[in-house]
Amino acid sequence: MQNPFGNGGNGDNDNNNNEGPNGLPVPPNYATVVKEDNGDIRIGKVGFSYTTFLFSFLVPIFRGDWYNFLCMIGVNLGIVLGLYSIHFTSFQTFNFATSILQFALSFVWGYLYNLMYFRHLFNRGFKPATQRSKDLLEKSGYLPKPKKK
């Protein structure tokens, strides 16, 4: 199968990233992690999560990422309850403040969710599946760089 994300059809296999299921190619900004004891494979994007920015809580639900779902709900609930404790002069001002805060939180979750997802996978025993994924995760700060001796 021709790799739509890589070599441009020039036959150069140096940038081969066929690390998806059954050797399918993955985009260059995606990393593959595997749990060695049962062979469970997860593929995720490294960087800003536009899906989390647009759909917020639906992303961890569809990924089965209940830990980060509960973290996101808890932080949002704490912020909203803190907003309710402020006395606003009008309901219109409250709605404006709420909408600005929700938009800002969408950006925060967009930047943080993929990092939180990978870190939780690493805590559950997942490891980068290939050297390309390991390098990408280290370069982006998702995986701690090995300490030099």
Side-chain angles (χ1 to χ4, degrees):
M1 174 178 191
Q2 183 180 359
N3 183 351
F5 306 113
N7 58 22
N10 62 4
D12 181 17
N13 287 332
D14 291 342
N15 292 327
N16 197 358
N17 61 352
N18 296 337
E19 40 186 81
N22 299 323
L24 292 174
V26 295
N29 58 338
Y30 279 67
T32 305
V33 293
V34 64
K35 194 169 188 179
E36 294 175 357
D37 58 349
N38 63 3
D40 191 14
I41 297 174
R42 301 287 172 100
I43 301 171
K45 183 179 182 220
V46 175
F48 186 80
S49 174
Y50 291 101
T51 53
T52 306
F53 173 69
L54 296 174
F55 304 113
S56 66
F57 301 116
L58 293 177
V59 176
I61 291 172
F62 288 139
R63 287 185 179 180
D65 187 15
W66 301 111
Y67 175 80
N68 287 323
F69 171 72
L70 292 175
C71 288
M72 290 170 73
I73 290 289
V75 168
N76 276 20
L77 186 62
I79 290 173
V80 167
L81 289 176
L83 189 63
Y84 276 118
S85 68
I86 300 172
H87 178 70
F88 289 96
T89 55
S90 70
F91 191 66
Q92 222 173 9
T93 308
F94 174 75
N95 282 340
F96 179 73
T98 304
S99 63
I100 294 295
L101 187 64
Q102 287 295 351
F103 187 72
L105 279 174
S106 294
F107 267 114
V108 169
W109 292 130
Y111 279 107
L112 291 180
Y113 178 70
N114 285 336
L115 173 67
M116 292 169 38
Y117 178 66
F118 274 109
R119 293 263 172 102
H120 185 64
L121 288 177
F122 297 145
N123 288 338
R124 290 179 44 209
F126 282 80
K127 304 282 183 216
T130 63
Q131 186 62 38
R132 188 195 71 81
S133 290
K134 183 178 180 183
D135 292 342
L136 177 64
L137 291 166
E138 284 177 355
K139 183 181 82 170
S140 300
Y142 285 34
L143 187 66
K145 293 181 182 178
K147 296 178 182 177
K148 296 180 181 178
K149 294 180 182 180

